[in-house]
Amino acid sequence: MDLTTTYLGLTLKSPLVVGAAAPLTEELSNIRWLEDSGAAAIVLHSLFEEQIRRERMELHHHMEYGTESFAEALTYFPEPEVFHVGTEAYLDHIRIAKTMVDVPIIGSLNGFTLGGWTDYAQQMEEAGADAIELNIYWIPTDLDMSGADVEQHYFDVVHAVKAAVNIPLAVKLSPYFSNTAYMAKRLCAAGADGLVLFNRFYEPDIDIENLEVQPSLILSHHSDMLLPLNWIALLHDRIPASLAATTGINKAEDVIKMLMAGADVTMLVATLLRHGIGHLKTIEEDLITWLHDHEYESLDILRGSMSQGNSPNPSEFERVQYMRAVQSYHPIWEANVPST
């Protein structure tokens, strides 16, 4: 069975890509295990803008010790233990990983402002990364910033990172835009070679007894995949970028649905954290079995077959789908309503 696919111009042996997650890629031994289990490419855990800025501030602090120029400013950055590895260690991680496996290694750069941290994309390339995934995790809270200003900020950051490298750039973004289709088109124009749909915002919780704000991380579930599924189906063959599906992909059936919608690859994280790295092999075997049973010889025949452009009912991806869903739902309690 031919599972070959192309993502960011890279030829991959299958659409099963490991998404960015520190528990999966921080240990080098896991990286070889991921390849042995069937990973077609591996996105490393993120290097954060705050991490880079803090290290540079600390270096400047020691060089300018006693000037009282910025010592207080250091307290605005997360404590060092928040970060898994330092910047130099991250670059070494890429170098070593490249010697261990044959599948592409994709560096992950997480940031949202314009600044010198974007230079680290070039350093990732020099360390051997086959591509960069730019994770723009940003929640605008400025009451005076317009939607157009927010969008332009994204374009500027993507343009700055793309200008620093010669390797492919994928942009991981959230779905919270007034027109996601417009954003996709403009991000491609800004230099994105691929789009990863979608990022998940991790909202904090409140400890009502200790009056503290606490981090909250809930792994994605199957229902979370419907949003990226629909947008990939809407964007397939309409933009020049590769499309990667992420969030809620737990089994081979989910992978098949994303491919039918038009995804080039599917990124797996939560399912591997739940079931272990070896679960990759199960997903691959189940994918091959389904394709064989349904007489598909390759993914090219499957991909995009149920996108909006190829769907027998294109309108189902828009308002008609909403109306049918609302009108067809019947509450469970209706079955128990006494007759009059």
Side-chain angles (χ1 to χ4, degrees), residues 200 220-225 246-251 254 258 270:
R200 296 174 67 221
S220 64
H221 291 272
H222 170 76
S223 60
D224 296 319
M225 68 172 279
T246 186
T247 302
I249 304 168
N250 292 291
K251 53 188 178 181
D254 301 334
M258 287 299 191

Side-chain angles (χ1 to χ4, degrees), residues 144-321:
D144 296 318
M145 176 174 277
S146 69
D149 290 339
V150 171
E151 292 171 354
Q152 187 59 49
H153 186 80
Y154 272 77
F155 306 145
D156 292 342
V157 172
V158 171
H159 180 77
V161 175
K162 181 61 178 179
V165 297
N166 296 307
I167 54 178
L169 175 68
V171 179
K172 188 173 186 179
L173 70 160
S174 81
Y176 303 118
F177 295 100
S178 58
N179 186 346
T180 301
Y182 171 80
M183 282 296 296
K185 177 183 176 180
R186 287 291 307 275
L187 287 169
C188 292
D193 300 293
L195 299 179
V196 183
L197 308 179
F198 285 110
N199 207 348
R200 296 174 67 221
F201 285 137
Y202 295 102
E203 296 87 354
D205 200 353
I206 294 177
D207 182 338
I208 62 174
E209 297 298 333
N210 297 311
L211 302 182
E212 294 178 347
V213 177
Q214 296 181 328
S216 175
L217 193 158
I218 301 174
L219 297 179
S220 64
H221 291 272
H222 170 76
S223 60
D224 296 319
M225 68 172 279
L226 298 180
L227 182 61
L229 176 78
N230 277 270
W231 271 109
I232 287 173
L234 290 166
L235 293 174
H236 175 69
D237 270 350
R238 296 180 63 196
I239 59 173
S242 295
L243 293 173
T246 186
T247 302
I249 304 168
N250 292 291
K251 53 188 178 181
E253 180 182 335
D254 301 334
V255 173
I256 293 164
K257 290 180 181 180
M258 287 299 191
L259 295 173
M260 285 182 169
D264 296 294
V265 297
T266 56
M267 294 195 170
L268 310 173
V269 176
T271 191
L272 303 184
L273 294 176
R274 285 193 183 98
H275 306 295
I277 289 174
H279 188 57
L280 252 175
K281 180 60 67 177
T282 300
I283 295 176
E284 182 182 56
E285 291 172 351
D286 290 347
L287 174 61
I288 292 173
T289 298
W290 190 93
L291 292 170
H292 181 270
D293 291 346
H294 292 77
E295 300 182 351
Y296 284 96
E297 297 179 355
S298 71
L299 296 185
D300 290 335
I301 303 172
L302 182 72
R303 185 179 294 105
S305 59
M306 291 299 294
S307 65
Q308 185 189 40
N310 294 321
S311 173
N313 299 300
S315 62
E316 289 292 329
F317 285 98
E318 299 177 6
R319 279 187 58 84
V320 172
Q321 180 191 66

Side-chain angles (χ1 to χ4, degrees), residues 8-47:
L8 303 176
L10 305 170
T11 300
L12 306 184
K13 64 181 181 180
S14 84
L16 305 180
V17 174
V18 176
L24 294 175
T25 62
E26 190 176 56
E27 295 295 331
L28 288 167
S29 58
N30 284 351
I31 291 177
R32 178 168 289 155
W33 187 9
L34 288 165
E35 182 187 42
D36 291 342
S37 297
I42 300 170
V43 184
L44 297 182
H45 48 287
S46 291
L47 181 63

